[in-house]
Amino acid sequence: MSKPLSDHDRRKQISVRGLAGVENVADLKQNFNRHLHFTLVKDRNVATRRDYYFALAHTVRDHLIGRWIRTQQHYYEKDPKRVYYISLEFYMGRTLQNTMVNLALENACDEATYQLGLDMEELEDMEEDAGLGNGGLGRLAACFLDSMASLGLAAYGYGIRYEFGIFNQKILNGWQVEEADDWLRYGNPWEKARPEYMRPVHFYGRTEHHPDGVKWVDTQVVLALPYDTPVPGYRNNVVNTMRLWSAKAPCEFNLKDFNVGGYIQAVLDRNLAENISRVLYPNDNFFEGKELRLKQEYFVVSATLQDIIRRFKVSKFGSREIARTDFNKLPDKVAIQLNDTHPAMAIPELMRVLVDEEKLTWENAWDICVRTCAYTNHTVLPEALERWPVDLFAHLLPRHLEIVYEINRRHLEKVAARFPGDNDRLCRMSLIEEGGQKRINMAHLCIVGSHAVNGVARIHSDILKETVFKDFYEMEPHKFQNKTNGITPRRWLVMCNPGLAEVIAERIGEEFIRDLDQLRRLCNFVNDEAFIRDVAKVKQENKLKLSAHLEEHYKVKINPNSMFDIQVKRIHEYKRQLLNCLHIITYYNRIKKDPNNQWTPRTVMIGGKAAPGYHTAKMIIRLITAIGDVVNNDPVIGDRLKVIFLENYRVTLAEKVIPAADLSEQISTAGTEASGTGNMKFMLNGALTIGTMDGANVEMAEEAGEENLFIFGMRVDDVDALDKRGYHAEEYYNRLPELKQAIDQIAGGFFSPKQPDLFKEIYNMLMHHDRFKVFADYEDYIKCQEKVNALYKNPREWTKKVIYNIAGCGKFSSDRTIAQYAREIWGMEPTLEKLPAPDDKH
């Protein structure tokens, strides 16, 4: 038998990783040594693994710089329409490997480091995640940046450079504990500070109304310092920019009104200004009306709009003027996409700049504003909608409050003209919510101030039109669109699952990486025994690799022949991790009752962070770990059922877990998950989905064939009907003995013998105030899981369904999503043309 290939030799054979030409490798080695020498000459004489990582990162970065400068030069000369994607979150993960993939440098770098006696995977593991996001919304922004660059769009991501990203999660005695994510501790090789583009941002103060306009005076100033990160497209020599703002106190901060002896305190107080970019708010799908958060939202919007307008004015192309002054051209040159309502302040801020500073008439400014801005809605959960108290607004942004009032006055005038005498409608559609304390409804502001409003999956966009924003849809139906979310196949297939990418490329070539619709051609191989075998083999290798990783990091022994049943996402009641728990308990009870049956072995993995203030979510984590303690230590069960809580789930862990999954759990109550994107990642990586007809699951079933997913549970109509009848948990509890047994075990301390009433709150919630109707879907879920078990016993049929799923993934590329945004909202045309490489002389 030939000896098994080393990891390095196996990686070398994967063609999608790029060619390792001899000159290329020699070049890389030389540059690597130059960077390493520079580091060590400055500091020490012994290199650590981190030194090697930084040397490699800087070597790869060198390949970006020329393309980056050339791309920006190209935009300056051609003066295309530019799109500005404004988001308070960009969940980027690691950058090194993604850059090598997009520049086709992976095999060359692997060979170069290997010849230098280093293992590239070990170096890649030194990089910190850029965890500047909570979950789906922030990761979507990251996928979109990759697609915008790969489609040759002149695009800019704008956000905040949080000093501390999403917390690191530790599990201590079964409980979540948070620790600060000090991701910049060792420096970030991918960013470049641009102090020459520093911008002032104003807060507080008051307004003065003069005959020649309004002045906002006596403000406090915070400086916004930009940091640029390159965003390379896939092998097209395009490198776009993500610009993140960091808060700096001005030099004169607190010193002009110096109190005698207050100098030291004044300098210390600079921290107050700089706290704006200190930390990411760790809430997913939940609004917390804190002043610091509103400051963050205005900070990113104000700095970004100054940048947009500066760039608009200095564009030279096709203009004899020194600078552009005709703002009527703004919507032809600028598109602003608001990622949820978090950057909604862009609308009143753009109005303030156009009216107060550029002296346009209100009507003219408003027309420009609406044609420039567009809004993406990400959730229908009422607790997630941003509703800022008017008094907080008045204090922090007095001029913007006046502008919002004027927007509202004119808006309600239009509503009244269109629907005379309908006072209820005026109340429902107002930007200002009366009653209790007055609040500004930011979603209403976004709809009124944008020319396009979109949901993120077909079912979600329909729900927006039929319920949440029904009044607005009736008034301006032309504004409402759907843009089903997508994921980048570069990170989520080529990079994280090179084995599968290679097996696919061997059959249909490499073009699918930029045109994912090509995967349809895999339907021709669904009965090809060699292909079935190859797909199954890659999955088994990925499972072995994950097993080794988990045994190393969590000290748990895993049966790699068991079904890997995985639910990874933020912990939230609507995502129904509790329904998953009820299945685990039910399966455990069945094995205990009949231990000699041929049970399909399962390893159930659940992972995700709970917002630190979300008590119920933290209790759900505690329940999962408690169930694991019982199940994993029961000798009757053996390795037929294991329950693992995956600690500190993040982008980098997702890249390891998703390629190894057999079963993907997408089990939210129908009508609550706007889209989901993890669902698409599992589908693309050869897992089968058990899920409700919610979010993008609906479209996944449509693309792959409903018979190739495990669909169960209530549809949206059923949920509505149940709401009308009234949901009574006890009925299910009394009717279903296995459900009653599981619930009694949770409530009675079976999983917490030392604290029998530990889970009484969860019991109480499920029995008496469960908004998400876990019991209503229990019976169908258990039956559906039985079908999953049966099919898993037939590996060939299972793998055929996997192939149909992969073949149906084309629609869920973020390239398709972004092409639709470009054509249908931004008025831009994507291109697959390559820019000339920096070394080309044309």
Side-chain angles (χ1 to χ4, degrees):
M1 236 179 86
S2 60
K3 86 176 183 57
L5 291 175
S6 72
D7 279 353
H8 171 74
D9 285 333
R10 184 178 304 121
R11 296 199 296 262
K12 259 206 309 215
Q13 295 179 351
I14 296 180
S15 63
V16 293
R17 292 164 57 96
L19 298 167
V22 179
E23 316 79 28
N24 214 350
V25 171
D27 258 4
L28 286 166
K29 281 166 72 177
Q30 188 181 2
N31 286 327
F32 181 94
N33 281 319
R34 185 171 54 81
H35 280 296
L36 187 65
H37 180 72
F38 179 70
T39 306
L40 296 183
V41 164
K42 282 195 310 185
D43 297 329
R44 300 172 302 286
N45 10 13
V46 183
T48 64
R49 191 186 297 178
R50 179 165 285 103
D51 295 318
Y52 292 129
Y53 159 69
F54 274 103
L56 179 56
H58 285 119
T59 303
V60 170
R61 184 168 146 261
D62 290 342
H63 286 254
L64 280 170
I65 303 300
R67 291 173 172 88
W68 199 6
I69 292 167
R70 185 176 266 224
T71 301
Q72 300 309 313
Q73 183 64 32
H74 173 78
Y75 293 156
Y76 183 75
E77 289 162 8
K78 291 277 182 287
D79 192 34
K81 185 167 186 178
R82 293 168 159 92
V83 59
Y84 295 95
Y85 195 86
I86 312 182
S87 179
L88 267 87
E89 303 184 20
F90 287 94
Y91 204 172
M92 303 293 285
R94 289 175 177 167
T95 297
L96 175 58
Q97 193 186 357
N98 185 247
T99 304
M100 293 189 295
V101 165
N102 281 9
L103 265 43
L105 285 171
E106 221 178 344
N107 267 333
C109 287
D110 206 335
E111 185 58 33
T113 49
Y114 179 75
Q115 290 181 18
L116 293 166
L118 299 164
D119 177 7
M120 189 164 76
E121 283 193 357
E122 281 187 10
L123 302 190
E124 288 169 347
D125 254 343
M126 297 303 300
E127 183 175 357
E128 299 275 359
D129 272 45
L132 308 184
N134 278 289
L137 172 146
R139 183 55 235 175
L140 186 78
C143 284
F144 279 4
L145 292 183
D146 181 89
S147 286
M148 289 186 291
S150 296
L151 292 174
L153 296 172
Y156 301 76
Y158 273 92
I160 296 175
R161 181 181 175 267
Y162 301 108
E163 196 177 322
F164 296 93
I166 188 64
F167 61 85
N168 285 312
Q169 178 192 57
K170 291 266 191 290
I171 302 296
L172 267 180
N173 306 318
W175 296 95
Q176 166 175 301
V177 178
E178 302 88 21
E179 61 179 37
D181 165 42
D182 193 4
W183 71 291
L184 294 168
R185 181 173 46 226
Y186 299 106
N188 174 4
W190 305 107
E191 69 182 9
K192 175 85 183 75
R194 306 298 300 274
E196 65 274 27
Y197 292 117
M198 190 127 62
R199 300 273 167 257
V201 176
H202 297 261
F203 294 103
Y204 304 110
R206 55 191 175 79
T207 59
E208 289 178 350
H209 291 252
H210 302 279
D212 58 336
V214 183
K215 289 202 169 72
W216 180 19
V217 297
D218 294 341
T219 57
Q220 291 184 22
V221 175
V222 177
L223 299 176
L225 170 64
Y227 285 78
D228 287 357
T229 300
V231 178
Y234 181 72
R235 301 185 187 183
N236 62 354
N237 298 314
V238 169
V239 181
N240 284 342
T241 301
M242 175 177 67
R243 176 163 285 181
L244 302 180
W245 301 101
S246 183
K248 282 289 274 173
C251 291
E252 67 279 10
F253 187 79
N254 268 10
L255 287 172
K256 45 196 174 309
D257 40 27
F258 65 97
N259 312 321
V260 179
Y263 163 71
I264 294 289
Q265 195 52 49
V267 173
L268 297 184
D269 284 346
R270 293 169 61 85
N271 276 320
L272 299 174
E274 296 172 359
N275 276 339
I276 291 176
S277 57
R278 194 79 67 203
V279 60
L280 168 74
Y281 273 84
N283 302 319
D284 187 73
N285 274 300
F286 184 76
F287 171 62
E288 185 179 5
K290 293 279 191 282
E291 180 175 23
L292 182 60
R293 171 67 172 196
L294 184 55
K295 275 186 175 167
Q296 289 180 338
E297 293 183 354
Y298 180 65
F299 175 76
V300 66
V301 152
S302 168
T304 300
L305 275 171
Q306 292 178 62
D307 228 21
I308 290 173
I309 286 163
R310 171 192 59 79
R311 207 174 275 122
F312 170 76
K313 284 182 172 180
V314 302
S315 285
K316 293 282 198 296
F317 194 78
S319 161
R320 254 166 275 263
E321 305 169 68
I322 304 301
R324 269 211 196 93
T325 51
D326 181 4
F327 278 95
N328 291 300
K329 299 272 192 323
L330 191 77
D332 304 327
K333 288 296 172 187
V334 170
I336 295 174
Q337 191 68 36
L338 308 176
N339 194 25
D340 213 325
T341 57
H342 311 149
M345 290 304 300
I347 291 165
E349 173 65 3
L350 182 54
M351 287 301 288
R352 187 190 66 79
V353 171
L354 293 179
V355 174
D356 292 359
E357 294 179 6
E358 303 293 341
K359 305 299 184 191
L360 272 63
T361 67
W362 181 279
E363 292 73 13
N364 192 12
W366 184 247
D367 175 65
I368 291 166
C369 178
V370 170
R371 286 166 51 214
T372 302
C373 296
Y375 157 56
T376 302
N377 172 276
H378 284 271
T379 182
V380 297
L381 294 181
E383 63 267 35
L385 296 178
E386 292 197 294
R387 294 154 59 249
W388 288 103
V390 163
D391 43 19
L392 173 58
F393 233 86
H395 179 52
L396 190 69
L397 300 166
R399 179 57 183 141
H400 297 78
L401 181 59
E402 295 177 351
I403 290 169
V404 169
Y405 276 146
E406 180 61 15
I407 292 171
N408 195 40
R409 187 184 68 75
R410 290 167 180 254
H411 159 60
L412 290 181
E413 238 169 47
K414 275 189 190 159
V415 177
R418 174 94 169 63
F419 302 96
D422 192 342
N423 260 332
D424 282 355
R425 185 183 294 261
L426 284 177
C427 284
R428 292 196 308 265
M429 293 184 74
S430 175
L431 310 192
I432 312 294
E433 297 179 358
E434 308 286 345
Q437 59 169 177
K438 289 168 66 167
R439 292 173 173 272
I440 302 176
N441 185 314
M442 302 304 272
H444 291 184
L445 174 61
C446 285
I447 296 168
V448 171
S450 300
H451 69 279
V453 176
N454 74 280
V456 290
R458 192 204 306 135
I459 186 177
H460 170 231
S461 298
D462 288 344
I463 289 169
L464 292 183
K465 293 188 290 195
E466 289 160 21
T467 57
V468 198
F469 301 144
K470 182 170 191 280
D471 294 318
F472 293 89
Y473 176 64
E474 287 172 0
M475 181 126 165
E476 305 185 284
H478 56 273
K479 282 191 179 182
F480 288 79
Q481 302 190 20
N482 173 244
K483 296 285 170 280
T484 300
N485 283 164
I487 57 173
T488 171
R490 273 72 65 180
R491 182 175 295 264
W492 296 113
L493 179 58
V494 179
M495 186 182 124
C496 72
N497 202 345
L500 182 57
E502 188 66 10
V503 163
I504 293 169
E506 281 168 6
R507 304 311 196 283
I508 65 171
E510 281 188 36
E511 207 35 45
F512 71 92
I513 299 170
R514 25 169 26 120
D515 175 17
L516 206 63
D517 288 324
Q518 300 275 326
L519 290 178
R520 277 271 172 238
R521 294 164 55 198
L522 293 177
C523 287
N524 301 326
F525 298 92
V526 78
N527 290 303
D528 178 321
E529 296 304 326
F531 186 58
I532 292 172
R533 199 168 52 242
D534 285 349
V535 169
K537 178 165 170 278
V538 167
K539 179 61 71 180
Q540 201 51 39
E541 286 168 359
N542 290 338
K543 288 173 73 173
L544 286 166
K545 194 166 178 181
L546 178 64
S547 300
H549 179 265
L550 293 179
E551 284 171 29
E552 182 188 339
H553 287 84
Y554 299 92
K555 314 290 177 248
V556 279
K557 191 89 180 77
I558 284 163
N559 172 9
N561 297 311
S562 64
M563 182 200 310
F564 283 15
D565 167 354
I566 306 187
Q567 184 178 26
V568 283
K569 50 187 70 233
R570 286 295 291 259
I571 309 294
H572 202 297
E573 288 161 86
Y574 88 83
K575 294 175 186 282
R576 296 203 297 189
Q577 282 90 357
L578 285 172
L579 183 57
N580 195 342
C581 289
L582 291 180
H583 170 253
I584 296 170
I585 296 171
T586 302
Y587 199 48
Y588 169 79
N589 289 333
R590 287 181 177 187
I591 299 174
K592 289 283 280 188
K593 196 173 167 185
D594 183 9
N596 297 319
N597 205 325
Q598 288 299 298
W599 300 101
T600 307
R602 286 202 189 212
T603 302
V604 183
M605 304 179 211
I606 304 177
K609 292 172 183 175
Y614 189 176
H615 175 73
T616 304
K618 290 186 145 180
M619 287 307 302
I620 291 170
I621 291 176
R622 186 63 191 91
L623 177 63
I624 296 163
T625 57
I627 293 169
D629 287 339
V630 169
V631 170
N632 300 346
N633 294 302
D634 190 325
V636 176
I637 301 293
D639 64 0
R640 293 181 288 188
L641 181 59
K642 287 277 180 265
V643 180
I644 295 167
F645 187 84
L646 295 170
E647 196 174 295
N648 204 30
Y649 180 66
R650 60 200 187 282
V651 173
T652 293
L653 187 53
E655 290 161 4
K656 295 176 166 70
V657 168
I658 291 171
D662 291 308
L663 186 66
S664 160
E665 301 264 359
Q666 309 296 336
I667 58 180
S668 55
T669 312
T672 63
E673 187 73 89
S675 166
T677 45
N679 46 4
M680 302 167 188
K681 292 162 194 171
F682 282 104
M683 182 181 185
L684 183 58
N685 281 278
L688 297 186
T689 301
I690 184 166
T692 50
M693 277 297 201
D694 198 19
N697 297 358
V698 178
E699 291 160 82
M700 286 163 50
E702 197 173 291
E703 295 296 304
E706 194 170 330
E707 68 281 7
N708 296 312
L709 280 77
F710 297 98
I711 298 290
F712 73 93
M714 298 180 289
R715 311 303 202 248
V716 169
D717 293 344
D718 303 315
V719 176
D720 291 342
L722 183 51
D723 274 327
K724 285 199 179 63
R725 283 204 310 277
Y727 167 68
H728 302 295
E730 324 76 60
E731 292 174 11
Y732 303 90
Y733 173 84
N734 292 322
R735 182 166 59 78
L736 303 167
E738 288 185 304
L739 173 60
K740 181 178 191 302
Q741 182 187 7
I743 293 297
D744 290 349
Q745 287 170 310
I746 292 171
F750 181 85
F751 297 106
S752 54
K754 294 187 180 142
Q755 294 171 263
D757 60 353
L758 181 59
F759 299 118
K760 68 167 186 297
E761 294 163 306
I762 285 187
Y763 165 83
N764 202 33
M765 183 273 287
L766 285 173
M767 293 296 287
H768 303 300
H769 39 89
D770 175 10
R771 296 166 56 205
F772 302 104
K773 305 176 175 65
V774 170
F775 292 3
D777 277 338
Y778 168 83
E779 191 176 15
D780 202 22
Y781 181 53
I782 299 296
K783 284 188 183 139
C784 198
Q785 290 282 19
E786 291 167 13
K787 291 182 196 159
V788 175
N789 284 336
L791 187 68
Y792 193 75
K793 288 197 165 88
N794 185 342
R796 190 169 172 278
E797 288 307 309
W798 179 281
T799 305
K800 283 171 74 166
K801 284 200 192 286
V802 164
I803 293 166
Y804 279 121
N805 271 270
I806 297 170
C809 273
K811 177 177 184 177
F812 306 108
S813 169
S814 47
D815 296 345
R816 185 270 316 151
T817 310
I818 287 298
Q820 288 184 328
Y821 275 96
R823 295 187 177 116
E824 298 165 24
I825 297 180
W826 303 332
M828 300 166 74
E829 193 51 43
T831 171
L832 289 175
E833 277 174 62
K834 283 176 116 168
L835 284 185
D839 36 25
D840 289 3
K841 290 298 171 268
H842 339 74

Coordinates of all heavy atoms in Angstrom, one line a residue, residues 616-642:
T616 N -33.2 34.2 29.0 CA -33.7 33.0 28.5 C -32.7 32.2 27.6 O -32.6 31.0 27.7 CB -35.0 33.2 27.7 OG1 -35.9 33.9 28.6 CG2 -35.7 31.9 27.3
A617 N -32.0 33.0 26.7 CA -31.1 32.4 25.8 C -29.9 31.7 26.6 O -29.4 30.6 26.3 CB -30.5 33.4 24.8
K618 N -29.5 32.4 27.7 CA -28.4 31.8 28.5 C -28.9 30.5 29.2 O -28.2 29.6 29.4 CB -27.9 32.8 29.5 CG -27.2 34.0 28.9 CD -26.6 34.9 29.9 CE -25.2 35.4 29.4 NZ -24.6 36.3 30.3
M619 N -30.2 30.5 29.6 CA -30.8 29.3 30.2 C -30.8 28.2 29.2 O -30.6 27.0 29.5 CB -32.2 29.6 30.8 CG -32.2 30.4 32.0 SD -31.1 29.8 33.4 CE -31.8 28.1 33.6
I620 N -31.1 28.5 27.9 CA -31.2 27.5 26.9 C -29.8 26.8 26.7 O -29.7 25.6 26.6 CB -31.7 28.1 25.5 CG1 -33.1 28.5 25.7 CG2 -31.5 27.1 24.4 CD1 -33.7 29.3 24.5
I621 N -28.7 27.6 26.8 CA -27.4 27.1 26.7 C -27.1 26.1 27.9 O -26.6 25.0 27.7 CB -26.3 28.2 26.7 CG1 -26.4 28.9 25.4 CG2 -24.9 27.6 26.9 CD1 -25.4 30.1 25.3
R622 N -27.6 26.6 29.1 CA -27.4 25.8 30.3 C -28.1 24.4 30.2 O -27.6 23.4 30.6 CB -27.9 26.5 31.5 CG -27.6 25.8 32.8 CD -26.1 25.6 33.1 NE -25.7 24.7 34.2 CZ -25.5 23.4 34.0 NH1 -25.7 22.8 32.8 NH2 -25.2 22.7 35.1
L623 N -29.3 24.5 29.5 CA -30.1 23.2 29.3 C -29.4 22.3 28.4 O -29.3 21.1 28.6 CB -31.5 23.6 28.8 CG -32.4 22.3 28.5 CD1 -32.6 21.5 29.7 CD2 -33.7 22.8 27.8
I624 N -28.8 22.8 27.3 CA -28.1 22.0 26.3 C -26.9 21.3 27.0 O -26.7 20.1 26.8 CB -27.6 22.9 25.1 CG1 -28.8 23.4 24.3 CG2 -26.8 22.0 24.2 CD1 -28.5 24.6 23.4
T625 N -26.1 22.1 27.8 CA -25.0 21.5 28.4 C -25.4 20.4 29.4 O -24.7 19.4 29.6 CB -24.1 22.6 29.0 OG1 -24.8 23.3 30.0 CG2 -23.5 23.5 28.0
A626 N -26.5 20.7 30.1 CA -27.0 19.7 31.1 C -27.5 18.4 30.5 O -27.2 17.3 31.0 CB -28.2 20.4 31.9
I627 N -28.2 18.5 29.3 CA -28.6 17.3 28.6 C -27.4 16.6 28.2 O -27.3 15.3 28.3 CB -29.5 17.7 27.4 CG1 -30.8 18.4 27.8 CG2 -29.7 16.5 26.5 CD1 -31.6 19.0 26.7
G628 N -26.4 17.3 27.7 CA -25.1 16.6 27.3 C -24.5 15.9 28.5 O -24.0 14.7 28.3
D629 N -24.5 16.5 29.6 CA -23.9 15.8 30.8 C -24.5 14.5 31.1 O -23.9 13.5 31.5 CB -23.9 16.7 32.0 CG -23.0 17.9 32.0 OD1 -22.0 17.8 31.2 OD2 -23.2 18.9 32.7
V630 N -25.9 14.4 31.0 CA -26.6 13.2 31.2 C -26.4 12.2 30.1 O -26.0 11.0 30.3 CB -28.1 13.5 31.4 CG1 -28.9 12.1 31.5 CG2 -28.3 14.2 32.7
V631 N -26.7 12.6 28.9 CA -26.6 11.7 27.7 C -25.2 11.1 27.5 O -25.0 9.9 27.3 CB -27.1 12.4 26.5 CG1 -26.9 11.6 25.2 CG2 -28.6 12.8 26.6
N632 N -24.2 12.0 27.6 CA -22.9 11.6 27.2 C -22.2 10.6 28.2 O -21.2 10.0 28.0 CB -21.9 12.8 27.0 CG -22.4 13.7 25.9 OD1 -23.3 13.3 25.1 ND2 -21.9 14.9 25.9
N633 N -22.8 10.6 29.4 CA -22.2 9.7 30.5 C -23.1 8.5 30.8 O -22.9 7.9 31.8 CB -22.0 10.6 31.7 CG -20.9 11.6 31.5 OD1 -19.8 11.3 31.1 ND2 -21.3 12.9 31.6
D634 N -24.1 8.2 30.0 CA -25.0 7.1 30.2 C -24.5 5.9 29.4 O -24.5 5.9 28.2 CB -26.4 7.5 29.7 CG -27.4 6.4 30.2 OD1 -27.1 5.2 30.2 OD2 -28.6 6.8 30.4
P635 N -24.0 4.9 30.2 CA -23.3 3.7 29.5 C -24.3 2.9 28.6 O -23.9 2.3 27.7 CB -22.9 2.8 30.7 CG -23.7 3.3 31.9 CD -24.0 4.7 31.7
V636 N -25.6 3.0 28.9 CA -26.6 2.3 28.1 C -26.6 2.9 26.7 O -26.8 2.2 25.7 CB -28.0 2.4 28.7 CG1 -29.0 1.7 27.8 CG2 -28.0 1.7 30.1
I637 N -26.3 4.2 26.6 CA -26.4 4.9 25.3 C -25.1 4.6 24.5 O -25.2 4.5 23.2 CB -26.5 6.4 25.5 CG1 -27.8 6.7 26.3 CG2 -26.5 7.2 24.2 CD1 -29.1 6.4 25.6
G638 N -24.0 4.6 25.1 CA -22.7 4.3 24.4 C -22.5 5.5 23.4 O -22.7 6.6 23.7
D639 N -22.0 5.1 22.2 CA -21.7 6.2 21.2 C -22.9 6.3 20.2 O -22.7 6.8 19.1 CB -20.4 6.0 20.6 CG -20.3 4.7 19.7 OD1 -21.3 4.0 19.6 OD2 -19.2 4.5 19.1
R640 N -24.1 5.9 20.6 CA -25.2 6.0 19.7 C -25.8 7.4 19.7 O -26.5 7.8 18.8 CB -26.3 5.0 20.0 CG -25.8 3.6 19.7 CD -26.8 2.5 20.0 NE -27.0 2.4 21.5 CZ -27.7 1.4 22.0 NH1 -28.3 0.5 21.2 NH2 -27.9 1.3 23.3
L641 N -25.6 8.2 20.8 CA -26.1 9.5 20.9 C -25.1 10.3 21.7 O -24.7 10.0 22.9 CB -27.5 9.6 21.6 CG -28.1 11.0 21.7 CD1 -28.2 11.7 20.4 CD2 -29.5 10.9 22.4
K642 N -24.6 11.4 21.2 CA -23.7 12.4 21.9 C -24.2 13.8 21.7 O -24.8 14.1 20.6 CB -22.3 12.3 21.4 CG -21.5 11.0 21.8 CD -21.0 11.1 23.2 CE -20.2 9.8 23.6 NZ -21.1 8.9 24.4

